[in-house]
Amino acid sequence: MKIRIGTRGSRLALCQARLVEAAIRREEKDVETELVVLQTKGDRILDRPLSEIGDKGLFVSEFERALTEGRIDLAVHSAKDLPVRLAHGLTILAALPRGDVRDVLILPKGGKRPRRGEEFVLGTGSQRRILQARLAWEGVSCRLIRGNVETRIRKLEAGEYDGILLAKAGLDRLGIGPETAPELDFVPLEAERFLPAACQGIIVAEGREAFSAAAENGSPADTAFLADLCRRITSGETRLCFETERLVLAGLEADCSQAAAAWCRIRDGRLILDARYGERTCRFCGEASFGEGERLAASAARVLRGEMQG
């Protein structure tokens, strides 16, 4: 059997797809895999903020069409790029163990730092990062930056920005850090104070819920076998946090044009959920179960909408 894995073409996307591919091969050594590169609308339009050209579906719609048509069997995504609602007949089949959830402030070594009374140009297009950066540092001026990780770093080194914000998980997967880029300073930001995007650091694989007789391009992998295989490579803890954080976004009806954040983790057998929407924040705790995660997410969404006190 061949499993065709859809991915974007950036080095990070390919790295993440290969992590899914490697996990599959560890479970089923006889399964053949193929990476299928697709370009999305979000990859093609780089001169405008995502909030102006659509929602998170900009990075997903082409993959969902390919899944529905049977041209690929799995689509690998950075989970934070997923829209809250997937296309009909599709579901998340796998979630790999989560990477580092933190954002990282990257600065030229010896360059300007965010200081009171001094303007600091920060490269980011994320409303979540813009809000939290302005709360964290006085004098910050946020300017749009798009493109893959390497492109953004080159723009920083060219002096277009005083600093940029990137996800640490992506940097880790690419092997980018102080050892490989000694000309830069990497400052991880404490997650409790600078809340990450919902599902940041999580790699997921999306697939069909059931075999589609309408698939015309190639022979889709057996859906039941693929679903079982994906269950075996899934981290239960990551899946619980993934589902809980997405339920917060669903309760807020939030997309990439809004400053929403959610971070769920398990500590000493307890589920801890921190969330932000605009300038409202909240924390809820409960037992580590999917039912409790659903309850905590619903409570967080109500608080963040201003319907109850935290």
Side-chain angles (χ1 to χ4, degrees), residues 14-194:
L14 289 168
C15 174
Q16 294 179 157
R18 290 186 183 113
L19 290 173
V20 172
E21 186 179 42
I24 287 172
R25 287 179 170 171
R26 281 195 298 271
E27 286 293 325
E28 291 286 343
K29 293 181 173 55
D30 295 331
V31 165
E32 183 182 356
T33 57
E34 176 190 358
L35 297 185
V36 179
V37 175
L38 300 174
Q39 190 179 46
T40 71
K41 184 177 180 182
D43 295 314
R44 291 189 293 270
I45 303 175
L46 298 175
D47 60 346
R48 283 180 285 163
L50 294 179
S51 57
E52 290 184 7
I53 57 177
D55 59 16
K56 292 186 177 184
L58 288 168
F59 294 114
V60 176
S61 58
E62 280 87 347
F63 291 96
E64 294 194 324
R65 189 176 306 112
L67 284 167
T68 301
E69 294 173 354
R71 290 183 282 122
I72 60 175
D73 304 301
L74 293 175
V76 175
H77 306 291
S78 291
K80 69 176 184 177
D81 290 338
L82 285 172
V84 172
R85 292 174 180 81
L86 304 179
H88 177 71
L90 302 180
T91 189
I92 298 303
L93 294 178
L96 298 190
R98 190 172 206 166
D100 197 315
V101 303
R102 293 176 294 174
D103 288 296
V104 177
L105 176 63
I106 307 178
L107 308 155
K109 194 171 288 293
K112 188 184 293 186
R113 299 297 188 263
R115 291 191 179 93
R116 179 179 298 179
E118 184 177 350
E119 184 182 21
F120 182 90
V121 179
L122 182 68
T124 179
S126 159
Q127 294 301 311
R128 171 190 64 85
R129 286 172 173 159
I130 290 171
L131 171 69
Q132 294 190 115
R134 288 173 176 166
L135 292 172
W137 306 297
E138 290 187 23
V140 164
S141 173
C142 295
R143 184 183 300 167
L144 174 66
I145 188 169
R146 295 285 310 281
N148 61 35
V149 170
E150 295 90 348
T151 296
R152 297 185 191 201
I153 290 176
R154 283 197 297 271
K155 290 180 177 181
L156 172 67
E157 292 175 328
E160 296 182 38
Y161 307 89
D162 297 316
I164 60 174
L165 286 170
L166 293 175
K168 190 172 189 305
L171 294 169
D172 290 345
R173 289 165 187 151
L174 290 171
I176 297 174
E179 298 79 12
T180 59
E183 72 281 5
L184 300 174
D185 282 333
F186 296 81
V187 184
L189 305 177
E190 186 181 352
E192 286 88 349
R193 298 174 63 113
F194 203 101

Side-chain angles (χ1 to χ4, degrees), residues 270-287:
R270 300 278 290 171
L271 199 63
I272 304 170
L273 172 64
D274 285 315
R276 170 185 286 276
Y277 189 53
E279 297 196 8
R280 286 197 179 102
T281 62
C282 65
R283 171 176 287 186
F284 286 92
C285 303
E287 66 180 38

